[in-house]
Amino acid sequence: MHLCERELYNREPLELISSGFLQIRSKSGEIKSLVPNYAQKIVLAKIKKCLDEKRPVRIRLLKARQLGFSTLFQAIIYAFTSRREGFRSLVIADDEEGSKELFEMNKLFQERMPIHLQTQIKKSNEIALEFEGLKSRIDIDTSRNKNAGRGSTFQIVHKSESSRFHFPKEVNLGVANAVPDLPGTMIFDETTANGINFYYDDVQKSIRAEDGYEFIFIPWILNPEYSMPAYNFVKTAEENIISEEAKKYHDFDLTDEQLSWRRFAIEHKCGGDVHLFKQEYPLTYEEAFIYSGRPRFDVEILRSLKVHVEKPTHHDGLLDLYRPVNPFSEYIIGVDTSEGKVEGDKSSVIVLNCADFSIDAEYNGLLEPDILAGYVEEWATKFNKAQVVIEINNHGLALANELKKSYHNLYHRKSFDKDANDWKLALGFRTDMRTKPIMIANLAKALRDGLKIIQANILEEMLTFVINDDGTTTASEGKHDDRVIAVGLTIQGYLE
């Protein structure tokens, strides 16, 4: 009987996952058998399907917290590496603490495995677990090592909390070239969200089927533990909407018991902050990304605006127009200028319709400042000789000096002249530590007051415009804020 069991698990390592022989440390601290939960079974089924179809397994998994996927992927790594000859697996966590925790799972699997199924250990230390007689091993690394995975070939790689990797570009490139594109090889890329950063871009590629990964999002509602008794429970209007979204996006009937737990979690786990709950326990993948960062602008307003985005109705040369020019409207144009370099930020020109309080046109590109000045003059003239608000930091001053030669409706800021002990007018808007927070605060208020934005790219930049730990605001890592600044400049002109 023992020999038959061993042969079964050697032939079908995945069967070991649901055998009860793999022991884990539960949330209560008990050592107990791994029994795949509902959410884990969803992912397991997809892995089995890939293996049965003789395809490489490439899973990109975004999840709510505490769903047990790190445990599942470590169990798969242990099951295959301890059963297959010449098999090498790599575990990469975001930091040392994470890698140590994952490695301890494998040690526990090994220590508690029944003797008749156990493969003897040849070497065990802090960075590797090697199996006697198989020439198979599990290696451990962190994303702090730019060269993680390089120089070796692996059959399975688990990237844990990859949205928080310190050197994502280098590590992901190393992994992509370390795992052959062969049937039976596996890459598990799992994480909770960390704002709209590089990982968001990776997810978009997977959704568009551009990178060979299958994207899976697991919401909090799929964890059976997130439930508690509901006595005389009456849903709020918000909870009715959440139930409808659960049905719409996941074909899932949310129970009163789950909503009861949600109320408890918001109050006792998230300090009464529903936005923090959405960060830790998202219902949709968009919600996961948006709320896991620290967005400066009101997320609910931006999400509602995204529902109504439109494409340009026509183009006037380089300018995208969304509404025809109203001869009776006053317009303001905001200009954030780039250096014109391919790798740098782009110049952004935004046209605000003051009558409708709407963004009616935009340009975003890499024109040199002096060339852009000619276009801005043309566009400003077209929009009823609009006032032009130019950020004069760096290359913006070159554009302003060029434009003022032939166009005169330019914004001037008030500047205090210490020598004259008096206020004077100075060309353009200067963004600095004092004025930027004011401009961003004014833009945030404009959003709340009904500023109409139907441009997807502007809304995307506003969603990725975040508050840093020191209280300053900027674009998320790998993102841009050219359009945000240009819209902010139009609001400054509108208010002044």
Side-chain angles (χ1 to χ4, degrees):
M1 176 63 179
H2 286 173
L3 183 60
C4 290
E5 274 189 323
R6 189 176 184 91
E7 288 178 350
L8 168 65
Y9 299 132
N10 288 351
R11 186 173 66 253
E12 300 289 346
L14 271 187
E15 295 297 324
L16 197 59
I17 306 300
S18 54
S19 67
F21 291 128
L22 293 176
Q23 300 285 296
I24 62 171
R25 191 182 305 278
S26 70
K27 293 178 184 178
S28 64
E30 299 176 89
I31 304 299
K32 57 193 297 187
S33 295
L34 169 63
V35 179
N37 60 35
Y38 180 78
Q40 290 170 331
K41 287 177 181 178
I42 292 174
V43 177
L44 263 177
K46 292 183 180 293
I47 293 171
K48 287 180 179 179
K49 186 173 186 291
C50 285
L51 293 174
D52 290 343
E53 294 174 354
K54 308 296 182 186
R55 293 189 289 120
V57 179
R58 301 292 185 266
I59 300 291
R60 196 180 303 285
L61 177 70
L62 182 67
K63 60 181 185 176
R65 293 195 179 276
Q66 299 293 312
L67 290 174
F69 286 106
S70 292
T71 301
L72 174 66
F73 293 139
Q74 289 307 298
I76 292 172
I77 281 178
Y78 176 82
F80 276 84
T81 314
S82 66
R83 304 284 130 190
R84 294 283 174 85
E85 187 174 13
F87 214 86
R88 288 197 64 182
S89 297
L90 174 64
V91 180
I92 306 175
D94 58 320
D95 58 21
E96 288 78 4
E97 183 179 346
S99 64
K100 181 179 179 181
E101 183 177 340
L102 295 174
F103 197 42
E104 289 298 321
M105 293 182 189
N106 285 283
K107 288 183 177 180
L108 184 58
F109 294 149
Q110 176 67 15
E111 291 169 3
R112 295 301 182 101
M113 182 63 58
I115 296 298
H116 71 279
L117 294 175
Q118 199 175 74
T119 302
Q120 294 303 305
I121 292 296
K122 179 179 181 181
K123 180 174 70 174
S124 177
N125 54 37
E126 292 183 352
I127 61 172
L129 187 66
E130 187 170 352
F131 296 96
E132 184 71 48
L134 290 179
K135 297 187 181 299
S136 297
R137 59 184 282 169
I138 302 170
D139 293 307
I140 306 293
D141 214 328
T142 79
S143 69
R144 296 182 186 275
N145 177 14
K146 288 184 179 181
N147 296 314
R150 291 184 177 273
S152 300
T153 299
F154 297 94
Q155 283 66 52
I156 305 181
V157 172
H158 173 203
K159 296 186 290 184
S160 177
E161 288 301 332
S162 51
S163 69
R164 291 167 170 77
F165 274 12
H166 296 275
F167 299 105
K169 184 177 180 180
E170 294 83 354
V171 172
N172 289 337
L173 181 62
V175 168
N177 289 280
V179 182
D181 297 317
L182 297 173
T185 60
M186 307 179 215
I187 302 178
F188 305 124
D189 187 343
E190 61 91 11
T191 189
T192 50
N194 186 29
I196 302 180
N197 62 0
F198 63 89
Y199 192 81
Y200 175 81
D201 295 335
D202 290 341
V203 165
Q204 295 304 311
K205 291 176 184 176
S206 298
I207 290 173
R208 295 192 299 264
E210 295 176 355
D211 61 359
Y213 278 79
E214 180 171 1
F215 174 63
I216 304 171
F217 171 70
I218 303 294
W220 69 270
I221 59 177
L222 297 188
N223 187 348
E225 294 180 12
Y226 295 158
S227 177
M228 61 172 42
Y231 303 108
N232 300 318
F233 192 86
V234 178
K235 292 181 184 178
T236 64
E238 181 201 19
E239 288 166 342
N240 279 318
I241 293 172
I242 291 167
S243 296
E244 291 170 3
E245 289 180 341
K247 188 66 176 178
K248 176 181 177 181
Y249 294 114
H250 306 292
D251 194 24
F252 191 92
D253 294 315
L254 206 55
T255 67
D256 289 349
E257 287 73 19
Q258 288 175 299
L259 288 171
S260 177
W261 175 85
R262 180 180 181 273
R263 288 184 187 179
F264 172 85
I266 290 171
E267 189 64 34
H268 298 283
K269 293 178 179 288
C270 303
D273 188 340
V274 68
H275 287 181
L276 192 57
F277 177 85
K278 291 179 179 181
Q279 168 185 315
E280 301 296 315
Y281 306 96
L283 181 62
T284 66
Y285 85 88
E286 294 96 338
E287 192 172 276
F289 284 114
I290 291 169
Y291 287 99
S292 61
R294 295 181 64 196
R296 173 60 181 85
F297 303 111
D298 191 306
V299 170
E300 298 300 334
I301 294 176
L302 295 176
R303 291 183 75 186
S304 65
L305 288 171
K306 283 190 74 174
V307 176
H308 304 289
V309 296
E310 298 179 18
K311 293 182 178 180
T313 56
H314 60 290
H315 305 280
D316 183 0
L318 298 176
L319 190 69
D320 292 335
L321 289 100
Y322 293 80
R323 297 287 185 271
V325 178
N326 184 338
F328 303 105
S329 290
E330 180 183 349
Y331 292 90
I332 296 174
I333 295 179
V335 183
D336 180 33
T337 313
S338 77
E339 300 176 33
K341 295 180 179 179
V342 174
E343 296 299 325
D345 289 335
K346 293 182 178 180
S347 292
S348 183
V349 178
I350 300 293
V351 180
L352 173 70
N353 183 331
C354 297
D356 295 337
F357 207 38
S358 62
I359 304 301
D360 284 6
E362 69 158 335
Y363 160 79
N364 193 259
L366 291 168
L367 291 176
E368 294 281 359
D370 60 319
I371 298 174
L372 181 59
Y375 283 100
V376 171
E377 179 178 358
E378 176 187 330
W379 298 333
T381 302
K382 177 185 180 70
F383 282 91
N384 304 336
K385 296 184 178 180
Q387 182 187 58
V388 179
V389 186
I390 305 167
E391 184 190 46
I392 61 164
N393 300 47
N394 303 317
H395 292 75
L397 184 58
L399 183 145
N401 287 331
E402 184 68 27
L403 186 58
K404 73 178 183 180
K405 295 176 183 177
S406 54
Y407 192 80
H408 305 295
N409 190 10
L410 302 177
Y411 168 89
H412 287 73
R413 70 191 185 280
K414 288 183 179 180
S415 177
F416 188 76
D417 188 331
K418 292 183 179 179
D419 294 332
N421 194 32
D422 196 7
W423 291 93
K424 66 177 184 179
L425 293 178
L427 178 62
F429 185 89
R430 183 176 296 281
T431 303
D432 55 31
M433 293 179 65
R434 181 183 65 84
T435 62
K436 183 179 179 181
I438 295 172
M439 179 178 68
I440 297 303
N442 286 336
L443 176 53
K445 184 177 185 302
L447 267 181
R448 296 193 298 273
D449 289 344
L451 176 63
K452 302 181 187 72
I453 303 176
I454 58 173
Q455 294 79 9
N457 288 329
I458 296 177
L459 294 172
E460 193 72 21
E461 282 197 11
M462 297 186 83
L463 282 167
T464 59
F465 193 80
V466 298
I467 303 171
N468 299 316
D469 291 341
D470 62 1
T472 59
T473 54
T474 187
S476 297
E477 181 184 358
K479 300 298 181 179
H480 299 280
D481 59 7
D482 320 299
R483 293 178 175 92
V484 173
I485 299 302
V487 175
L489 293 171
T490 69
I491 298 303
Q492 285 303 118
Y494 178 85
L495 293 174
E496 295 182 27

